[in-house]
Amino acid sequence: MLLGKIFSSSLPGERIVFYLRRHWWIMFKHTALYLALGLLPVVVFIFLPVYLPTAWDQLIAGGFVTVLAKLAASLYYLGVWLFFWRGVVDYYLDVWIVTNERVVARVQNGLFNRQVVELRLSRVQDVSAKTQGLWGTLLNFGEARVETAGEEENFIFEQVPHATQVSEQVLRLADDWRHVHPHEETP
Amino acid sequence: MALTIPYLAFLWPYLLAVAVLLYFAFAAVFHVLRFGTLTSASVAIAFIIMAGTALILFLSYRSLVLVDWGQSVDVVEFFKSLYPF
């Protein structure tokens, strides 16, 4: 993966160690939910003539109820489609990048709220990882937290795969950076 | 006294809602092309969003164009038909 495609300017000797997105399970849950929502009207379409034949007759009669149903179905499917893809775009655009010089988080929060946080490895003080829940434990994903030397908020990798290994590697990279730059002070 | 509402009165809120949803569609496409690295995946996502949206709108148009929007509904009679008892 070309560094130039990800960063507008890369540091000398910089290489990408991790390019992370949230675990695939998050996308799977999102897809399953919207697939169920998409199939819901089909289920109603199948069972309505059996359990509510009067309502079904009104629905297909071609009158006002039919028109309302067509408008509602159109808005429903448009909404399901677009909110599904909004979640996909959110998943796709949330990335955490670890290089041998820095860690970068690019996170989309809502429609027009994008956060880009960059942390130089020289400022890394401590790291921790948290894996919780049934699926997090079974599928090995969770939260990796990087604590800094300053007053900035902790840097958090959310729902990433192998959170423990990620946190260990970040700590190792920070130690390696300090070995390579022993006389450089933390900015 | 009969209270009638033209079918067209329900079309305008529908079109407003469609406009709002289209805003979300364009926002999603804008974000993936603007902030995602330009790969085949991001282009494919943008294309699928637009194609699927266009397809749903087309099918909706095909269904709604058959409606006689000039007719009206008697509200009292309509609610009576829903609750016959």
Side-chain angles (χ1 to χ4, degrees):
Chain A
M1 185 176 297
L2 295 173
L3 208 60
K5 281 178 85 172
I6 299 164
F7 298 122
S8 55
S9 60
S10 57
L11 298 167
E14 187 173 22
R15 59 178 173 82
I16 292 176
V17 177
F18 286 123
Y19 188 89
L20 298 169
R21 287 195 171 92
R22 296 177 198 267
H23 194 270
W24 60 261
W25 175 250
I26 308 305
M27 196 66 252
F28 176 79
K29 278 197 310 182
H30 178 78
T31 304
L33 170 66
Y34 279 87
L35 198 62
L37 288 175
L39 290 174
L40 188 62
V42 176
V43 171
V44 170
F45 192 81
I46 292 171
F47 288 103
L48 199 62
V50 177
Y51 293 102
L52 290 170
T54 312
W56 174 252
D57 290 339
Q58 279 195 328
L59 203 63
I60 60 171
F64 181 61
V65 174
T66 308
V67 173
L68 276 187
K70 285 181 179 180
L71 292 173
S74 170
L75 285 180
Y76 180 81
Y77 273 108
L78 200 56
V80 167
W81 174 255
L82 291 173
F83 280 99
F84 167 72
W85 282 105
R86 182 168 165 256
V88 171
V89 169
D90 242 359
Y91 172 88
Y92 182 74
L93 292 180
D94 287 353
V95 290
W96 291 269
I97 306 159
V98 179
T99 74
N100 57 331
E101 293 285 344
R102 51 185 160 166
V103 287
V104 178
R106 294 178 178 171
V107 178
Q108 190 78 24
N109 297 312
L111 201 56
F112 290 105
N113 185 353
R114 185 160 180 80
Q115 195 180 29
V116 180
V117 180
E118 183 175 308
L119 175 69
R120 296 295 176 98
L121 289 178
S122 58
R123 300 189 64 80
V124 171
Q125 286 292 294
D126 201 4
V127 292
S128 59
K130 185 165 69 173
T131 302
Q132 61 182 148
L134 171 68
W135 295 109
T137 307
L138 287 178
L139 299 174
N140 193 12
F141 68 87
E143 178 184 287
R145 189 179 285 260
V146 179
E147 293 174 15
T148 66
E151 294 176 355
E152 305 99 327
E153 285 180 21
N154 291 338
F155 193 101
I156 300 173
F157 296 74
E158 297 171 24
Q159 298 171 321
V160 293
H162 311 292
T164 307
Q165 288 93 313
V166 168
S167 62
E168 288 170 357
Q169 182 71 350
V170 169
L171 199 57
R172 204 172 300 129
L173 286 167
D175 288 342
D176 289 346
W177 191 92
R178 291 190 184 98
H179 279 300
V180 172
H181 307 86
H183 303 295
E184 284 190 40
E185 292 183 5
T186 302
Chain B
M1 189 173 105
L3 175 63
T4 58
I5 301 176
Y7 281 23
L8 208 59
F10 296 92
L11 187 61
W12 293 114
Y14 164 80
L15 291 175
L16 184 64
V18 167
V20 170
L21 290 172
L22 283 180
Y23 174 76
F24 278 98
F26 287 120
V29 170
F30 170 79
H31 280 105
V32 79
L33 293 177
R34 171 73 175 82
F35 297 116
T37 47
L38 201 61
T39 61
S40 50
S42 57
V43 173
I45 289 172
F47 175 76
I48 291 169
I49 292 172
M50 291 190 293
T53 305
L55 178 65
I56 293 171
L57 288 176
F58 173 72
L59 293 174
S60 301
Y61 170 78
R62 284 286 301 269
S63 171
L64 295 172
V65 79
L66 301 170
V67 175
D68 177 10
W69 295 100
Q71 59 184 315
S72 300
V73 59
D74 186 323
V75 178
V76 174
E77 289 303 317
F78 172 68
F79 280 107
K80 275 184 185 174
S81 68
L82 289 180
Y83 301 101
F85 303 107

